[in-house]
Amino acid sequence: MSHFYLQDGVLCAEQLPLTSIAAQFGTPTYVYSKAALLENFSAYTRACAGRDALVCYAMKANSNLAVLKLLAQHGAGFDLVSGGELLRVIAAGGDPKKCLFSGVGKSADEMRLALQHEILCFNVESVQELHRLNQVAGEMGRTAPVSLRVNPNVDAKTHPYISTGLKESKFGVAYDEALATYRTADSLPHLTVVGIDCHIGSQLLEETPLLEALDKLIELIDALAAEGIAIHHLDIGGGLGITYDDEQPVAVGSYLAQLFARIDQWRAAKHGGAPIKVLFEPGRSIVGNAGILLTRIEYLKHGETKNFAVVDAAMNDLMRPAMYEAWHGVQPVVARPTATQTYDVVGPVCESGDWLARQRDLAIEPGDLLAIMSAGAYGMTMASNYNTRGRAAEVMVDGALPHLIRKRENPADLFALESPLPGL
Ligand SMILES: *Cc1c(COP(=O)(O)O)cnc(C)c1O
């Protein structure tokens, strides 16, 4: 069930009309539903019940401390891609021992930080990274737990910018080189091989590529076992898609059930039924539909060939349309009974790429509020200050109560770290 719905002609977040959020906090504002977040997260934990499994929320999708704290309290681990993200987890009271560190470019400083906090595992993406991690861990007198992010070379059938599992991708270790790379990892004194990992892409609508990737990982685990290299956890990554328009993604429960069935069958046949820990790294499917971007219409421009609704949110607030030509639903917060016209919804930023939605039939007037739907993932975390625009406020709704979880940035915040040349 969606937690953003029309009640008496007004769009609400849970039991709170978005009009009252705009009145209290202004616009543009990201609005999240706590119930939606927990519902999405519990779809994973329910499907994992009774199993040795850990859901590591991929926090780059939405890393607000309130979101992290809520999920941490419900048992989430976290998938990180920077040292900064680890510091966020700690600030939110999350457990570093439930954290995975992903990413192709981990610096030595980031490795030290993660080793100090004894994270669960480094998902290593290259031979050079193995050597660096071995050295850093050795200098600290520690042993680093590692998985290799293997590139299973399956086509995730998604947007090229968010497809990561093909041979030509910058991510992961090539499938054909995985065994040799594991041997290297196993031979380095300050590393312990603990797992195997993949993440083949994002906004996947079908489970087939994910199950294909699973089969490839299983093959490798068996090959490694034959060489005496034991794999204790299998991390299948994230990537499950959500509905932006009319997509019908596979349900979390159904995907996990198929995945576990395959794993159980394999373990029974090859490993006498011995279980293996299973990790997930979902991002978008936890937060995407749990948030909207609330914006107000400044002007309507009726051009010769096009109509524009100029709103107070822009590409710096929600980058996905400009970056991936992503489609987001646009819903007037208060429905008007008048006839619709076709509009491009655009922001004030000085770029032609600054659009949020194109060719939408809307009955709107200046001053009206619009909700840009399904904006909870890769929205605020990708926001920038381009055009010296302060980033939007963030509000989390719990029932009928709005909680400000991030203040709107002031322009003065934006140049506080800058300084003129001396003597000028
Ligand atoms: C971004 C990312 C995820 C999350 O992907 P979603 O499509 O948001 O579920 C998981 N793992 C890694 C390594 C990632 O980079």
Side-chain angles (χ1 to χ4, degrees):
M1 179 205 136
S2 171
H3 292 274
F4 297 92
Y5 61 94
L6 281 171
Q7 194 167 15
D8 303 324
V10 181
L11 191 62
C12 295
E14 300 193 16
Q15 287 129 56
L16 189 67
L18 291 173
T19 43
S20 84
I21 294 181
Q24 189 174 348
F25 302 101
T27 53
T29 292
Y30 276 99
V31 183
Y32 309 117
S33 154
K34 178 186 165 194
L37 260 173
L38 290 181
E39 209 170 278
N40 295 339
F41 182 69
S42 69
Y44 280 91
T45 51
R46 260 200 320 275
C48 291
R51 290 180 173 274
D52 189 8
L54 182 64
V55 184
C56 294
Y57 167 59
M59 59 184 284
K60 73 180 189 288
N62 187 321
S63 56
N64 185 290
L65 294 186
V67 172
L68 302 186
K69 186 157 204 158
L70 187 65
L71 294 176
Q73 285 189 342
H74 285 79
F78 297 95
D79 176 54
L80 329 162
V81 291
S82 72
E85 286 195 340
L86 176 54
L87 295 175
R88 266 185 187 275
V89 167
I90 293 164
D95 185 356
K97 295 187 177 66
K98 288 183 175 177
C99 286
L100 306 170
F101 196 167
S102 299
V104 286
K106 300 172 196 79
S107 71
D109 280 345
E110 289 177 316
M111 289 172 173
R112 265 188 287 276
L113 181 71
L115 283 164
Q116 265 159 21
H117 290 284
E118 299 178 14
I119 64 160
L120 178 62
C121 186
F122 290 83
N123 290 343
V124 172
E125 303 213 12
S126 66
V127 176
Q128 286 191 8
E129 188 189 336
L130 281 178
H131 286 289
R132 178 184 280 181
L133 183 58
N134 180 59
Q135 178 167 358
V136 171
E139 285 162 8
M140 295 174 70
R142 301 207 181 209
T143 308
V146 298
S147 276
L148 289 186
R149 175 168 176 179
V150 174
N151 190 336
N153 198 27
V154 300
D155 185 356
K157 300 184 182 72
T158 184
H159 190 286
Y161 282 18
I162 50 180
S163 177
T164 52
L166 282 170
K167 272 187 183 160
E168 55 267 34
S169 156
K170 76 170 177 180
F171 296 103
V173 174
Y175 193 80
D176 296 340
E177 289 161 22
L179 276 180
T181 312
Y182 264 109
R183 284 180 205 123
T184 304
D186 191 49
S187 73
L188 293 171
H190 306 292
L191 303 183
T192 313
V193 171
V194 294
I196 192 165
D197 164 54
C198 74
H199 172 69
I200 60 171
S202 201
Q203 184 56 13
L204 312 186
L205 300 173
E206 297 169 29
E207 67 277 37
T208 321
L210 289 158
L211 296 175
E212 260 177 58
L214 172 68
D215 288 343
K216 296 280 205 85
L217 294 193
I218 284 176
E219 236 175 80
L220 269 180
I221 294 172
D222 286 340
L224 287 165
E227 298 196 13
I229 301 177
I231 296 294
H232 305 288
H233 76 238
L234 186 167
D235 175 355
I236 195 70
L240 226 53
I242 62 167
T243 303
Y244 286 99
D245 185 4
D246 54 5
E247 304 92 334
Q248 295 191 317
V250 59
V252 171
S254 153
Y255 158 51
L256 265 62
Q258 294 178 65
L259 183 111
F260 283 130
R262 224 176 253 224
I263 290 174
D264 289 348
Q265 210 175 15
W266 158 59
R267 297 305 285 183
K270 290 268 179 67
H271 298 267
I276 186 167
K277 188 182 180 97
V278 182
L279 308 185
F280 300 92
E281 303 171 351
R284 188 189 314 269
S285 52
I286 307 277
V287 284
N289 278 326
I292 60 116
L293 175 57
L294 184 61
T295 181
R296 196 180 286 283
I297 299 171
E298 300 278 13
Y299 305 102
L300 296 181
K301 278 184 78 170
H302 297 279
E304 249 173 60
T305 57
K306 268 192 164 183
N307 299 315
F308 295 98
V310 184
V311 300
D312 62 4
M315 66 186 286
N316 75 294
D317 299 301
L318 180 63
M319 182 90 96
R320 298 186 67 258
M323 192 154 157
Y324 315 117
E325 304 202 334
W327 194 99
H328 285 268
V330 175
Q331 242 180 282
V333 170
V334 182
R336 286 183 180 277
T338 47
T340 61
Q341 280 188 284
T342 305
Y343 292 94
D344 280 9
V345 179
V346 301
V349 162
C350 302
E351 296 283 344
S352 299
D354 179 24
W355 56 276
L356 298 174
R358 284 175 169 161
Q359 300 290 105
R360 303 302 169 85
D361 295 331
L362 297 164
I364 48 178
E365 296 292 339
D368 284 3
L369 293 167
L370 295 177
I372 312 296
M373 307 303 290
S374 312
Y378 306 106
M380 185 62 174
T381 47
M382 282 190 171
S384 79
N385 296 119
Y386 190 38
N387 282 205
T388 305
R389 289 169 52 85
R391 279 177 290 178
E394 292 178 288
V395 170
M396 191 179 297
V397 175
D398 181 7
L401 286 179
H403 300 285
L404 183 64
I405 60 170
R406 194 175 201 271
K407 289 182 193 162
R408 183 178 308 290
E409 283 174 346
N410 292 316
D413 297 333
L414 308 189
F415 47 76
L417 301 178
E418 299 170 24
S419 34
L421 289 174
L424 290 184

